[in-house]
Amino acid sequence: MNIVILAAGQGKRMHSDLPKVLHQLAGRPLLAHVLQTASVLQCETTCVVYGHGGEQVKAATSQSGISWARQELQRGTGHAVLQAIPCLAEHLPTLILYGDVPLIRTETLLRLVAAAGDGMGILTVKLDDPTGYGRIVREADAITRIVEEKDASVAERALKEINTGVMLVPTMQLKSWLLRLTNDNSQGEYYLTDIVAMAVAEGVRIADVQPADSWEILGVNSRADLARLERLYQTQISESLLEKGVTLSDPARLDVRGRLICGRDCVIDVNCIFEGEVVLGNRVRVGANSVLRNVQIESGTCIEPFCHIEEARIGENCRVGPYARLRPGTYLAEEVHVGNFVEVKASKIGRGTKANHLSYVGDSDVGQNVNIGAGTITCNYDGASKHRTVIEDDVFIGSNTQLIAPIRIGKGATIGAGSTITADTPEYKLTLSRSRQVTIPDWSRPLKKKN
């Protein structure tokens, strides 16, 4: 099978410099959703017809194996598909999709392919309000043609069954029909839908299939359309998570912008955002207003509210937050506590270690059962290069301490509060650096002069 994806439209109603198919749904461009569907179908050729902002569209598409066909002037859907013909294998049928219709299910398309056989297949749906869509015209229950709304009679506009635009067509006939299209219509365009009447005239069998849900065929023409599709998409994800046993405090306040995999008895509070690939083990709890991007969290861990975690791995039975930030390269072993206003970056933290308040741990290797006092900072950057801090097992670091990397804190060492440590410290010893406390006698605070 060939697949042609029409993605040349400008999207004037988006009021944007960004091509319409690059506007994002659930964190990915509209076109990326359609391309993913195409990849699941395992087609021979995928051809994207691009036009407005074409170089942006190509640059934003990382998927390999795509053929590109440029439509210099937007002269209708029939003209757009014609540009793809040189890319298509003639002995295979061609499935026509749209870069701004992202929610169509793979299962729906497979049913369409099966129903079409060696003929033509059209995806149709009945809507209570068909305004804006081309109407399906039937005789004795058989599809005979499609009429665009602007060219329809009053009686035809009263029809409820609409053309979704998605169809499967034998490629050799498709090429012949496209070359015979005319633009003798109200919009002066070459309509792809006109090939239906040609197929009927040649005795080609036409099958029709309907999607399980009408929202599958909804397209994006405005910001309002995009917002509606976003909620529809997120609703489907929420329902799927609920069916799998995940507790959602409010299914309407969840955003998954990628892939979320949950174990048993997970609990997700309101306004959480999951980006990229996030894996939650059994009994993981994610507090309200947290953002997780490309994160793996093992069983029994609790993420308190207002945490931001990116490119990190968190072990079992940890407690993170509230208001913690774990940056890329962070690895927490089991039973680690990272508390409020603590930031960790590119660091490994060993089992049972605690950093409960107001600290920065960057480019560090921290051992087991370490206590990192409030206000501790690993000073890892000298203005040109990053250096690592090594803190061995069972270390106690007092509050308001600066560790100037590169440095090693020996096993079991204690660092006195308020210290600035610039050299390696020995094991099981107390190390501190403080200026002597002085009280000045006979001193008084200056007073403001009275006016």
Side-chain angles (χ1 to χ4, degrees), residues 2 7 10 50 63 87 89 101 110 118 128 132 157 218 220 225 230 240 289 303 349 358 426 432 443:
N2 306 302
Q10 182 176 356
Y50 68 101
Q63 188 170 320
C87 302
V101 181
L110 289 173
D118 58 359
D128 292 334
R157 290 187 183 187
L218 294 178
V220 174
D225 290 342
E230 181 73 38
S240 175
N289 302 294
I303 308 299
I349 298 183
L358 302 159
L432 69 161
W443 177 88

Side-chain angles (χ1 to χ4, degrees), residues 243-271:
E243 289 174 1
K244 293 174 182 176
V246 179
T247 297
L248 303 178
S249 296
D250 185 348
R253 288 188 285 171
L254 170 76
D255 283 276
V256 178
R257 301 169 185 172
R259 187 178 181 213
L260 174 60
I261 302 170
C262 297
R264 296 176 67 85
D265 297 312
C266 289
V267 178
I268 299 173
D269 210 334
V270 300
N271 299 329

Side-chain angles (χ1 to χ4, degrees), residues 175-401:
K175 181 178 180 180
S176 171
W177 296 332
L178 291 174
L179 291 171
R180 290 157 47 195
L181 289 177
T182 68
N183 62 347
D184 184 19
N185 52 62
S186 62
Q187 298 186 78
E189 294 183 350
Y190 295 91
Y191 295 154
L192 177 64
T193 50
D194 285 350
I195 70 172
V196 174
M198 296 179 186
V200 171
E202 294 182 15
V204 175
R205 186 179 67 87
I206 300 178
D208 59 277
V209 166
Q210 290 70 44
D213 295 285
S214 59
W215 50 256
E216 290 185 55
I217 59 87
L218 294 178
V220 174
N221 290 305
S222 66
R223 304 276 186 171
D225 290 342
L226 186 59
R228 281 191 287 270
L229 263 64
E230 181 73 38
R231 280 303 97 206
L232 282 166
Y233 185 92
Q234 297 299 339
T235 297
Q236 302 312 306
I237 292 175
S238 294
E239 290 179 355
S240 175
L241 291 171
L242 291 168
E243 289 174 1
K244 293 174 182 176
V246 179
T247 297
L248 303 178
S249 296
D250 185 348
R253 288 188 285 171
L254 170 76
D255 283 276
V256 178
R257 301 169 185 172
R259 187 178 181 213
L260 174 60
I261 302 170
C262 297
R264 296 176 67 85
D265 297 312
C266 289
V267 178
I268 299 173
D269 210 334
V270 300
N271 299 329
C272 290
I273 299 173
F274 300 90
E275 300 180 344
E277 180 159 314
V278 176
V279 180
L280 308 181
N282 299 330
R283 305 178 307 285
V284 169
R285 302 177 68 91
V286 181
N289 302 294
S290 293
V291 180
L292 280 63
R293 179 184 300 122
N294 295 321
V295 175
Q296 181 172 338
I297 301 176
E298 303 296 337
S299 296
T301 286
C302 179
I303 308 299
E304 301 287 357
F306 294 97
C307 289
H308 193 288
I309 305 174
E310 179 180 5
E311 305 283 350
R313 183 174 177 182
I314 302 172
E316 293 184 353
N317 301 315
C318 291
R319 189 176 73 230
V320 178
Y323 295 99
R325 184 182 182 195
L326 305 185
R327 291 169 58 191
T330 294
Y331 170 70
L332 308 185
E334 300 84 358
E335 300 177 8
V336 171
H337 291 184
V338 173
N340 48 287
F341 303 104
V342 174
E343 180 178 350
V344 182
K345 187 267 292 183
S347 297
K348 296 180 180 179
I349 298 183
R351 182 187 182 103
T353 287
K354 296 177 174 62
N356 281 324
H357 335 272
L358 302 159
S359 295
Y360 171 68
V361 180
D363 297 279
S364 299
D365 297 298
V366 182
Q368 299 184 37
N369 301 314
V370 173
N371 183 86
I372 298 176
T376 296
I377 299 173
T378 57
C379 305
N380 55 322
Y381 183 53
D382 62 9
S385 302
K386 298 287 181 69
H387 303 280
R388 290 199 76 77
T389 296
V390 177
I391 302 173
E392 297 183 351
D393 295 347
D394 303 314
V395 167
F396 183 96
I397 299 176
S399 298
N400 193 31
T401 295

